[in-house]
Amino acid sequence: MGSGNGGRGVERLTDKAIQAWLKGDRKAGQKLPDGGGLYLVSLPSGGATWQVRYSLGGGAPKTYSVGPYPEKTLAEARKARGTARAQAEQGVDPVALRRLERVEAAAAADDTFEHVAGLWLDKQRPEWSDIHYTKSARALERDVYPALGKLPVAMVTTAAVSAVIEKIQKRGGGRRETAQKILQHVRSVFRYAQAKGMRPDNPAEPVVEIIAAAPKVKHHPALLKFDQLGDVLRRAETSNITPAVRLCHRLIAFTAVRIQNAVAARWSQFDLDAEVPTWTVPRDEMKKSDDREHVHRVVLPAQIVADLKRWRVVQPKNAIYVFPGNQGRDHISRESIEKALRETLELRDLHTAHGWRAAFSTRCKEDSEFTHELVDLCLDHVTKTEVARAYDRGDRLQKRIALMKWWGDRLEQAERGGEVVPLRAAC
């Protein structure tokens, strides 16, 4: 290697030559070569920075940034050139290696995304149920930490967050909602990082723009008039469907429960002999578990209690499921109910199992003076645990009993063919 400022070999520069160049007229991007791929590059600010040009296996040239002059001296720049070129000759990309080293160093520190997310989760925990906390933590572990977890929270880019969210959405199967919920968590983690002074911005905010548009809601067909509902019940009683399917459909009609809870109902969930007969569905078996802690308690109308008691007598004493299945199945399927309505009762595009929930909501809200909150509670649409628990005791429990009696009596009257007058319930 040569030295000085006159040759064309390696180590052409001296500090004196560099100072003279810096004082002269320079354009941004102008280079002062030292040889061996090391350059001092002029910056728009007037300063200069060291860069090393290298290639891997004869590929396209790449640039390795060493740092600004004079913070990085000529001797340090030459040493960095030697290291970078030696790594390149061994097939190791020095830029990628430095990035990896930074990530590994950050992983040992307390400013990684995963560490900050953990602090945020700890802050949220007192306000959340155990179920909601566990689901949120697992979602971050499954979908976010593999890509972002080891990165310093200050280094995470919007593009990196977008890649995580797009990957979730591409899994299909209703993953839009999952992507949306996880993005909400990621945005919150970065807001927490902002509050702690770890970064000035929130790279997850713009990512809301890539969340897929919500699909158009397809409403379940439903018959809403009592005379129509009574006709469905009469036809179900005389049609060629199995006793288990018939009674399960009847349970759905008289309680407005979701079909998945009805077909999988277990005898242990029912208290048919209590002063107030109830059916208690665990929260983790409901469609929406979010952050609610309360179980879904169904007050049973007298009509369905009588039906279930008669059914219980003819079932094996050790039966687990109320509506046992056949061909090795634990219980009847959702499709058995839907098919009975769709084909046997010829109600395709007219009424479904879910239609009973729509009928219950419409008739109770329009034909009675029961509060909308009470009706929504019976449909498991009340999200506040303290509200739901309040309706499990005292005067509010009496209102629930009255509502389900009102519904059961009017369905029974409609089934018998009588005209149901929308009397206003006293409540």
Side-chain angles (χ1 to χ4, degrees):
M1 296 182 195
S3 62
N5 60 0
R8 291 182 55 81
V10 180
E11 298 188 3
R12 305 176 196 173
L13 299 177
T14 64
D15 283 313
K16 184 177 179 179
I18 293 171
Q19 292 297 330
W21 182 72
L22 290 174
K23 292 177 181 178
D25 292 332
R26 293 175 289 115
K27 295 181 180 179
Q30 186 174 338
K31 298 178 180 178
L32 182 65
D34 184 55
L38 177 62
Y39 297 88
L40 191 60
V41 182
S42 181
L43 299 174
S45 62
T49 189
W50 293 108
Q51 292 182 350
V52 176
R53 297 277 282 177
Y54 69 96
S55 63
L56 295 173
K62 296 186 177 185
T63 301
Y64 176 83
S65 296
V66 177
Y69 178 87
E71 286 84 351
K72 288 291 184 180
T73 66
L74 176 58
E76 289 173 328
R78 287 170 173 168
K79 182 178 180 180
R81 172 186 58 197
T83 301
R85 292 180 69 85
Q87 291 169 346
E89 289 174 2
Q90 295 173 8
V92 177
D93 188 334
V95 172
L97 179 61
R98 179 169 60 185
R99 186 179 300 123
L100 178 62
E101 289 172 345
R102 287 175 177 175
V103 170
E104 290 176 345
D110 292 339
D111 63 349
T112 64
F113 179 88
E114 184 172 345
H115 180 80
V116 176
L119 295 177
W120 174 74
L121 285 169
D122 289 342
K123 183 179 76 70
Q124 300 298 116
R125 189 163 198 166
E127 305 297 325
W128 289 353
S129 69
D130 289 341
I131 292 175
H132 186 53
Y133 174 85
T134 300
K135 284 186 174 181
S136 297
R138 286 177 178 172
L140 290 172
E141 291 170 1
R142 179 188 65 237
D143 293 317
V144 182
Y145 292 165
L148 307 182
K150 302 304 180 185
L151 295 176
V153 73
M155 290 178 59
V156 179
T157 64
T158 296
V161 178
S162 294
V164 169
I165 299 304
E166 287 178 327
K167 183 177 180 181
I168 297 170
Q169 291 192 125
K170 288 177 180 178
R171 290 205 300 255
R175 296 301 179 181
R176 175 188 177 276
E177 291 74 16
T178 301
Q180 194 170 36
K181 289 177 182 178
I182 290 177
L183 178 57
Q184 288 174 352
H185 286 344
V186 173
R187 291 167 69 189
S188 296
V189 171
F190 283 116
R191 280 197 295 270
Y192 179 84
Q194 284 180 283
K196 291 292 185 179
M198 296 179 176
R199 65 178 299 150
D201 61 342
N202 189 331
E205 288 295 340
V207 182
V208 296
E209 297 299 327
I210 70 169
I211 294 292
K216 293 183 178 180
V217 177
K218 182 179 180 181
H219 294 286
H220 297 275
L223 299 173
L224 302 178
K225 296 181 179 179
F226 272 119
D227 60 341
Q228 298 171 323
L229 300 174
D231 180 62
V232 172
L233 291 173
R234 287 193 300 272
R235 290 165 60 188
E237 286 300 300
T238 58
S239 295
N240 184 26
I241 55 180
T242 68
V245 170
R246 180 180 295 109
L247 182 55
C248 185
H249 169 255
R250 194 169 180 82
L251 177 65
I252 294 170
F254 277 87
T255 61
V257 295
R258 295 185 176 92
I259 184 173
Q260 66 265 30
N261 299 123
V263 296
R266 299 188 298 275
W267 284 114
S268 60
Q269 298 171 347
F270 288 82
D271 190 351
L272 301 178
D273 302 311
E275 181 179 354
V276 180
T278 56
W279 172 18
T280 303
V281 185
R283 173 53 48 191
D284 59 7
E285 294 183 15
M286 299 303 296
K287 177 182 178 182
K288 296 180 179 179
S289 57
D290 46 60
D291 60 350
R292 284 176 272 182
E293 299 175 351
H294 60 275
V295 297
H296 181 48
R297 200 179 311 279
V298 182
V299 174
L300 299 170
Q303 293 83 356
I304 198 64
V305 171
D307 290 337
L308 288 170
K309 284 184 175 180
R310 286 192 291 269
W311 179 249
R312 183 173 61 181
V313 171
V314 299
Q315 297 301 306
K317 290 185 178 181
N318 61 347
I320 296 175
Y321 292 95
V322 178
F323 308 111
N326 52 27
Q327 298 179 344
R329 297 187 182 93
D330 290 333
H331 53 75
I332 62 174
S333 66
R334 294 177 49 150
E335 175 60 14
S336 65
I337 305 295
E338 296 289 11
K339 185 177 180 180
L341 288 163
R342 185 178 63 246
E343 298 182 10
T344 308
L345 301 184
E346 299 180 346
L347 292 173
R348 184 188 298 272
D349 298 328
L350 294 175
H351 197 66
T352 63
H354 193 276
W356 285 107
R357 292 172 60 78
F360 176 87
S361 178
T362 301
R363 294 277 59 86
C364 291
K365 290 179 178 179
E366 293 185 4
D367 296 350
S368 79
E369 291 180 352
F370 292 105
T371 66
H372 287 199
E373 181 181 63
L374 179 59
V375 176
D376 288 339
L377 176 77
C378 293
L379 291 168
D380 192 44
H381 288 169
V382 170
T383 59
K384 294 183 178 179
T385 293
E386 62 271 20
V387 173
R389 286 176 175 166
Y391 277 104
D392 279 343
R393 57 183 180 268
D395 293 340
R396 288 185 170 185
L397 175 58
Q398 295 306 312
K399 292 179 180 179
R400 291 183 64 183
I401 296 170
L403 170 57
M404 297 312 295
K405 182 179 187 303
W406 183 91
W407 175 248
D409 289 348
R410 275 147 188 77
L411 269 191
E412 182 182 32
Q413 185 178 356
E415 184 178 16
R416 291 177 177 176
E419 181 179 358
V420 179
V421 179
L423 300 175
R424 311 298 288 183
C427 60

